[in-house]
Amino acid sequence: MSAPRVLSIAGSDSSGGAGIQADIKTITMLGGYAMTAIAALTAQDTTGVRMVTATTPDMVAAQIDACVGDIGVDAVKIGMLGSPDVAAVVAGRLEGLRVPIVFDPVMISTSGAALADAATIAAFERLMALATLTTPNVPELAALGGDEAMAARGVAYLAKGGDAEGDEVTDRLVVPGAPERCWSAPRIATRHTHGTGCTLSSAIATLLGMGLPLEEAVEDAREFVRAALLAAPGYGNGHGPLGHHAVR
Ligand code: PXL
């Protein structure tokens, strides 16, 4: 099979650990063909975000159209969007696409910077309805109204446990009408966790683009993130990047 064409619609992380850069590395290492629609620019390092510039909605739409119209797309990952207008334009473009969509509802960076304001988070509603899977972490799930609100929306989601307390990390896959599925593993003791969410969501998108069923895609993507965490190069003075390049 040829490489699945995976489009990441997300923000750029100058430090290379998260966002578009993490997505390109992940998609490539898993055997996919990475394309991007850059929705925001961040100037950041492992200790914090220095500056954020939004991309115009037109420019985001034009990037998506360029990818879809020529090369074509087998799966989409959505990450940091930067503004409610960009979120709306992305939803409009994806409504007609019949491919798996993984939506990482990015709100806060690993270093603690806000990457979405309240209006952008409100615009997530349409994207959750479109997505094959939404992947909130603990604070994101709370901001989206918790399990009850997600059940009322009737959407599939992966509740990530990486930033909960405890020595075990448990991720919970909730699919309407199906039994809940959990994965637990001992926590990897490291401060180098920058980009774990981006990596997980783009890995799931790539594996769905290859035709794997959702549960298998989540399982294999978790393993990829764990391997990349174990291979972290230890760069930077803060939350350093994963070792995407060193996963075998
Ligand atoms: O991990 C969330 C995230 C998403 N997108 C961009 C980021 C970050 C965290 O730093 O920089 C561009």
Side-chain angles (χ1 to χ4, degrees), residues 110-198:
T110 304
S111 58
L115 297 178
D117 60 13
T120 303
I121 293 169
F124 285 178
E125 226 42 79
R126 247 175 108 189
L127 293 166
M128 285 192 280
L130 278 169
T132 311
L133 184 72
T134 298
T135 61
N137 61 20
V138 173
E140 287 160 356
L141 181 57
L144 295 171
D147 287 304
E148 218 167 299
M150 294 304 277
R153 291 182 181 104
V155 299
Y157 61 102
L158 181 70
K160 299 179 292 185
D163 41 19
E165 296 289 310
D167 296 336
E168 286 268 307
V169 174
T170 301
D171 297 332
R172 202 161 40 85
L173 176 65
V174 184
V175 178
E180 210 170 275
R181 177 79 207 271
C182 287
W183 290 267
S184 289
R187 180 178 297 279
I188 298 169
T190 176
R191 69 184 156 89
H192 301 299
T193 56
H194 183 62
T196 44
C198 308

Side-chain angles (χ1 to χ4, degrees), residues 11-13 18-20 42 44 49 80 106 108-110 115 194-195 197-198:
S12 165
D13 169 4
I20 288 276
T42 72
Q44 65 174 301
V49 178
M80 176 186 178
V106 173
I108 302 168
S109 74
T110 304
L115 297 178
H194 183 62
C198 308

